[in-house]
Amino acid sequence: FPSEIPLIDGDIVAASTTGTGWEVWIASADPIDGYSHASRSLQDAGFTALADQSINGAAGGLFDNGSYSVTVTAGSDAKYPDAVGYQVEKK
C-alpha cells in the first residue's frame, strides 16, 4: 500500500489488491467523522479534492495527487458496518 496515502486510525477490517490498485476498509465508531479526518489528511498530504461531500449519514470523495487517485467512502453497510473505505488506483 502506498506510503503517500495517509489512513485514519482504526482496525483494518478488510484489505485487498485489485491488480491496478488497493482497497482497505478501516473500522470507525463514527464513520462521518472518520471520513472528515481522511479528507483533511489527504488534502494535507497534497491531494486535490475532486469531489467531497456528506449526505444523510454517508460520505464520499475523490482525491488525486497526479500519481494516485483515491476514492474514500464512509458509512454503514451490510458488509463493513461503521467503516471508512479507501480505493486507491495508481495512475
Side-chain angles (χ1 to χ4, degrees):
F1 193 86
S3 61
E4 297 91 342
I5 299 168
L7 299 174
I8 64 167
D9 291 331
D11 293 332
I12 294 175
V13 294
S16 64
T17 59
T18 64
T20 60
W22 305 264
E23 291 184 358
V24 63
W25 289 87
I26 300 173
S28 176
D30 183 344
I32 303 306
D33 184 58
Y35 173 81
S36 294
H37 179 71
S39 174
R40 281 190 311 273
S41 294
L42 285 164
Q43 291 177 70
D44 288 348
F47 284 79
T48 299
L50 303 176
D52 191 9
Q53 66 180 18
S54 176
I55 300 172
N56 298 327
L62 176 61
F63 304 86
D64 189 283
N65 74 350
S67 297
Y68 296 98
S69 175
V70 182
T71 301
V72 180
T73 56
S76 294
D77 67 29
K79 190 171 182 182
Y80 304 119
D82 296 335
V84 175
Y86 295 76
Q87 294 178 312
V88 179
E89 293 293 324
K90 185 164 178 55
K91 297 182 110 188

